[in-house]
Amino acid sequence: MHNAGAESDPMPAPGLYVVATPIGHLGDISARALSILRDAHAILAEDTRHTRKLLTRYDLHTPLISCHKFNEAQRTESVLQRLAEGQVLALVSDAGTPGISDPGTRVVAACRAAGYPVYAVPGPSALTAAVSLCGFAGDGFVFAGFLPVKSAARRRKLSEWLAYPLPVVLYESPYRAMKLLDELIELAPERTIFVGRELTKHYEQSLVGTATQIRAHFEGRSTKGEWVIVIADEQD
Ligand code: SAM
């Protein structure tokens, strides 16, 4: 058992802090996240250039170390070494909560396995934003992350998720958003769908309807931007 310390502590306790950062609006960062990012010995970042913009906006000068899906395994050793020295490390991804369809899981697991404390600094995630906005998934849902890209595997996976007796939350690239709506028109024409596009950004959009209705809305319109989709279960 470890204790991350009271709010008034001058320095956070040593350990790894998993810090959520904005999914669009830079104002969506907690006071505690900023204070951890300021006080950490180093920040492990998915893309250091991306995180530097956030640090610049808040006048923070903490050293950044890259930690992305291609080097996360190698990075672990130096992370454990720093924790052995009693350092405070923050882990961030480009947007939202690390470890949710983002790097972070391996470092977290390695720190935990080695007995170092891992602390939550919760905040934005497209997942929780979508669940709280859709109006039909608050009592339980499954998070499916991204579907496979290749058609056959994608269709199989989507059918599996649709068989769950719970709403399903999906992330999707704007390049495949219309394809997903077409697949849903075919596989789940009656279901209610929520689309959250560009949440917290200037062109934020929330749509609820059948896949056919949502597809019709985007006919001739841009599908650019970030998409999160919630598919209601059959009871809804
Ligand atoms: N870890 C992040 C989180 O906690 O939300 C998710 C990272 S994942 C690589 C990025 C995907 O999240 C995007 O492709 C999109 O599906 C979704 N996403 C991120 N920001 C979003 C936003 N502002 N509006 C809608 N969806 C968003």
Side-chain angles (χ1 to χ4, degrees):
M1 288 261 284
H2 299 281
N3 184 349
E7 209 174 294
S8 56
D9 279 357
M11 186 65 190
L16 179 72
Y17 290 75
V18 181
V19 180
T21 59
I23 58 168
H25 196 299
L26 284 188
D28 291 338
I29 186 150
S30 72
R32 181 160 171 259
L34 287 175
S35 103
I36 296 287
L37 293 179
R38 187 193 58 229
D39 293 340
H41 291 89
I43 300 169
L44 304 164
E46 181 181 5
D47 179 343
T48 53
R49 287 164 306 176
H50 189 98
T51 300
R52 197 172 304 285
K53 288 183 199 150
L54 180 72
L55 298 192
T56 303
R57 157 78 194 267
Y58 288 100
D59 196 24
L60 303 176
H61 305 278
T62 309
L64 288 164
I65 300 171
S66 86
C67 182
H68 45 70
K69 64 177 172 184
F70 302 109
N71 73 358
E72 196 179 345
Q74 296 136 254
R75 206 42 102 209
T76 304
E77 203 178 314
S78 63
V79 167
L80 296 181
Q81 180 57 42
R82 284 170 175 269
L83 293 176
E85 291 164 12
Q87 290 199 7
V88 172
L89 297 178
L91 171 71
V92 300
S93 59
D94 286 354
T97 302
I100 300 182
S101 291
D102 258 348
T105 315
R106 283 178 167 192
V107 170
V108 165
C111 293
R112 218 176 268 300
Y116 295 109
V118 181
Y119 299 118
V121 185
S125 174
L127 167 62
T128 47
V131 168
S132 64
L133 285 181
C134 74
F136 55 78
D139 293 328
F141 58 88
V142 286
F143 176 55
F146 290 97
L147 289 173
V149 175
K150 291 198 176 140
S151 291
R154 181 180 166 85
R155 223 184 144 72
R156 195 175 340 110
K157 200 74 204 162
L158 182 57
S159 302
E160 280 172 28
W161 289 122
L162 289 171
Y164 270 74
L166 285 169
V168 179
V169 186
L170 286 169
Y171 287 163
E172 189 51 286
S173 138
Y175 307 109
R176 284 183 287 279
M178 290 300 252
K179 180 176 162 91
L180 175 62
L181 291 174
D182 285 339
E183 288 160 336
L184 289 170
I185 288 170
E186 200 186 325
L187 297 172
E190 312 294 332
R191 304 270 190 110
T192 301
I193 313 286
F194 167 85
V195 168
R197 183 168 158 252
E198 294 286 85
L199 297 178
T200 78
K201 302 186 192 180
H202 187 68
Y203 292 107
E204 170 165 351
Q205 196 175 25
S206 284
L207 295 167
V208 179
T210 62
T212 306
Q213 290 167 332
I214 293 176
R215 177 96 175 57
H217 171 87
F218 282 107
E219 207 55 65
R221 290 192 170 102
S222 169
T223 57
K224 275 192 200 150
E226 312 222 60
W227 283 57
V228 54
I229 297 101
V230 190
I231 307 163
D233 56 323
E234 258 163 337
Q235 282 96 56
D236 265 298

